[in-house]
Amino acid sequence: MWIAGGVGVVLVAGVVLAAFLPLVGFLGSVTATTAGLVPFPFVRVTVVALLGLAVVSALLALALTRRHTTTATIAVVLAVLVSIAVTAVPVVLVAVGSADRAGDVWPIVIELWQRFAG
């Protein structure tokens, strides 16, 4: 149980430090450099991250307090899967927001081209 819990903590910390934080930083910088053309849904990402933190913490606590190795291992696997899902959410939200924004951009581009072309 202790080994499973320790491995879970290390894996979740690795996902957070190696994937989630750099990805959110990258997406935030893309939003900043495109002057808002690529939207970054800060509130939704924060809510999902906090909910994910609560679920992952509960699963890791469950893994560390169970006496059976199987239960602890299942809780750790679920915690790692939830942390990976939380890491993927910002990408999905930015992609959906960009697709919505792209529909707004093309009429503007066409209008500017018509003005330029005469």
Side-chain angles (χ1 to χ4, degrees):
M1 128 182 118
W2 290 105
I3 293 172
V7 168
V9 169
V10 169
L11 288 176
V12 169
V15 169
V16 168
L17 295 174
F20 181 75
L21 293 177
L23 181 66
V24 169
F26 172 74
L27 293 173
S29 67
V30 166
T31 298
T33 58
T34 60
L37 189 60
V38 176
F40 185 76
F42 177 75
V43 174
R44 284 185 268 169
V45 170
T46 303
V47 168
V48 168
L50 291 175
L51 288 173
L53 175 67
V55 171
V56 167
S57 298
L59 287 168
L60 290 176
L62 178 73
L64 291 171
T65 58
R66 297 300 110 188
R67 293 181 189 255
H68 300 292
T69 305
T70 305
T71 307
T73 303
I74 290 170
V76 165
V77 168
L78 289 174
V80 171
L81 290 176
V82 168
S83 66
I84 291 171
V86 168
T87 300
V89 166
V91 174
V92 172
L93 291 176
V94 167
V96 168
S98 296
D100 289 343
R101 189 70 54 96
D104 297 338
V105 169
W106 282 111
I108 295 170
V109 170
I110 291 170
E111 181 181 337
L112 290 173
W113 178 256
Q114 288 174 347
R115 286 184 184 181
F116 178 72

